Amino acid sequence: MYKEIEAELGYAKIEGPDLHEIITKTKVILGRDVKHSDEQTDSSEQIIRLGQNLKISRRHLLFYFDEKKKEWYAENLSKNTVLVNRKPFSKSDPPKCISPISAIKIDDVQFYFFQSREEIE
């Protein structure tokens, strides 16, 4: 799996039954589909849309790479709980360091977050 990520020139990969995304930026927002004009993003963010499910917030989960620690983190931006490796993760929790392969569940959307073995420069 790592070789596929490296071959497609990404930092990480999100893979699930209906979700196949290469992470090309060090800041990624996952959330519900919104109209383009409603989005408030900057060019440093990659947006991944998870569908129209109203239990998924417009900006539900943030993945970001910590340059100093050289690790990926997740931050829950929603009032709804996310499962990370089968453990509840809420908005009140501090950002969570993500293991190289992590199982994530946001309501009925399940996927894996796979990190590249290559260090981000």
Side-chain angles (χ1 to χ4, degrees), residues 36-107:
H36 184 68
S37 61
D38 292 344
E39 291 183 17
Q40 298 288 326
T41 63
D42 62 53
S43 61
S44 68
E45 293 178 344
Q46 181 176 348
I47 303 295
I48 296 177
R49 293 171 178 83
L50 302 177
Q52 296 292 330
N53 182 335
L54 295 178
K55 291 183 181 178
I56 299 174
S57 302
R58 286 185 177 97
R59 295 172 61 88
H60 201 106
L61 186 66
L62 165 68
F63 287 118
Y64 65 91
F65 187 76
D66 185 306
E67 293 288 337
K68 290 181 182 179
K69 296 180 180 178
K70 302 292 185 198
E71 295 179 313
W72 282 95
Y73 284 83
E75 184 176 341
N76 187 348
L77 305 174
S78 173
K79 64 180 180 179
N80 297 320
T81 300
V82 173
L83 294 179
V84 177
N85 295 323
R86 298 183 185 180
K87 294 180 183 165
F89 178 49
S90 69
K91 186 175 186 171
S92 61
D93 292 330
K96 178 184 286 293
C97 184
I98 299 295
S99 59
I101 300 174
S102 295
I104 312 289
K105 184 175 182 193
I106 301 174
D107 195 51

